[in-house]
Amino acid sequence: LKKQHIIPVRKHTGVKYIVCMREGKDVLASFYPFFAAHRQEFKDMWGGFPPTFPNWDANFNFFTKEQKGFYHGYAAAWWPYRNDPNVLVLHYNDLKRDLKTQLVRIANFIEVQVPEAAWPKIEEKVGLPWMKAHEHIFKYDVPFTGFGNVMKDDEGSMIRSGGVGDGKDKLSPEQEKIWEQLNEEFFGPQPGLKDWILTGGPIPPVAPSEAGSMKQPLLQK
C-alpha cells in the first residue's frame, strides 16, 4: 500500500473516516478462512482474487511477500492521521474489551445523539451471538451488478469466532523473524504504532518527529 492510494483525508475535511486496526497475527488468522469463504464465481470475476490459500504458509507469504502492504502498509499509512479531527482510529481489542466505550466514541465522532435506553439493544446487535444468529444480513454483494451474495452459504463464512489471540503460536520461528522485520520496517518509523497495534489502548499523541508530516495537506499522489 502506498500513500497515494489513501483517500485524501485532509483535502476532504468534511468527510469523516473510521479506521479499525488489529494485531497482525490475528489478521492472518482471520483472513485465512475469510478469503476461502468467497464464492468461486466472485473470485473468477476478479481474476482469482481473493485467493484461497492451500495452506498456512501460502497465507503467510501473501501478507509478507506478495502483498506486503496489505496489512502493514495500511496501518502505517493511516497512523500519521490518527489524531486528525475527521479520523477515528479504533482497535479491535478495544472493541472486544469495552464495547460500550467504543460505541460511544463512534457516536460522538459522527455526532449522533443516542438515547440511553437504546444502548442495550445496540450492544446486543453488534455482539457476536446476535451477529452469528443473523449472519445472512452481514454478507455482502456487488451493488448494481445483480451478482448477489459474494460469500458462500456455509455457516460461519462471514461471522466466525470474533476472538482475540487467534493468531498466537501459528507462526514458525522463521516466520516470527520475518514478521518482526516487517513490523520494524513499516511500524518502526511511525512513533507509537509498533506497540499500540499489539493491544490497542489510548491513541498516542503526535510526536515531535512527526511535525513535518502533519504539515502535509493530504494523502494522495
Side-chain angles (χ1 to χ4, degrees):
L1 185 67
K2 298 180 180 180
K3 285 189 175 182
Q4 61 263 35
H5 296 154
I6 297 296
I7 294 170
V9 175
R10 293 177 183 157
K11 181 177 182 180
H12 304 298
T13 55
V15 178
K16 296 192 173 185
Y17 306 88
I18 298 178
V19 182
C20 190
M21 300 187 190
R22 190 177 185 182
E23 193 277 324
K25 296 172 190 176
D26 282 359
V27 171
L28 290 176
S30 179
F31 271 92
Y32 188 23
F34 177 67
F35 276 180
H38 287 71
R39 288 169 53 195
Q40 187 59 47
E41 299 95 322
F42 177 77
K43 293 171 179 285
D44 293 342
M45 181 189 299
W46 294 97
F49 189 89
T52 296
F53 303 115
N55 51 50
W56 174 264
D57 288 348
N59 175 50
F60 181 82
N61 289 338
F62 174 84
F63 281 88
T64 59
K65 296 179 181 179
E66 298 166 23
Q67 296 289 338
K68 288 173 60 175
F70 198 89
Y71 166 72
H72 286 89
Y74 166 85
W78 275 105
W79 191 244
Y81 302 86
R82 65 192 180 277
N83 287 303
D84 279 33
N86 62 329
V87 176
L88 176 64
V89 175
L90 303 172
H91 196 290
Y92 189 85
N93 289 29
D94 292 328
L95 289 163
K96 296 291 294 184
R97 185 164 42 231
D98 188 354
L99 179 61
K100 174 67 178 294
T101 295
Q102 301 308 310
L103 291 174
V104 171
R105 287 183 67 206
I106 294 170
N108 291 338
F109 179 69
I110 61 177
E111 302 178 86
V112 171
Q113 298 295 321
V114 179
E116 192 60 36
W119 282 116
K121 180 59 69 174
I122 294 172
E123 290 183 73
E124 176 193 357
K125 289 194 171 184
V126 299
L128 198 62
W130 194 93
M131 293 172 69
K132 280 189 171 182
H134 302 83
E135 183 178 17
H136 65 282
I137 69 175
F138 296 99
K139 295 181 178 181
Y140 61 103
D141 61 12
V142 184
F144 313 116
T145 65
F147 182 83
N149 176 33
V150 307
M151 307 298 291
K152 294 179 180 177
D153 293 330
D154 303 356
E155 182 178 345
S157 62
M158 187 65 183
I159 308 297
R160 200 172 57 90
S161 68
V164 171
D166 288 354
K168 184 180 180 181
D169 301 325
K170 286 189 176 295
L171 274 61
S172 68
E174 182 60 32
Q175 288 174 338
E176 288 281 1
K177 292 179 182 178
I178 294 172
W179 193 255
E180 182 56 32
Q181 288 170 356
L182 284 173
N183 286 345
E184 187 61 39
E185 176 185 345
F186 283 88
F187 301 160
Q190 305 292 338
L193 176 56
K194 188 177 177 182
D195 292 330
W196 181 87
I197 206 163
L198 296 177
T199 59
I203 298 290
V206 174
S209 60
E210 297 178 274
S213 66
M214 293 299 100
K215 296 178 182 179
Q216 297 299 319
L218 49 100
L219 263 180
Q220 68 172 10
K221 191 171 182 179

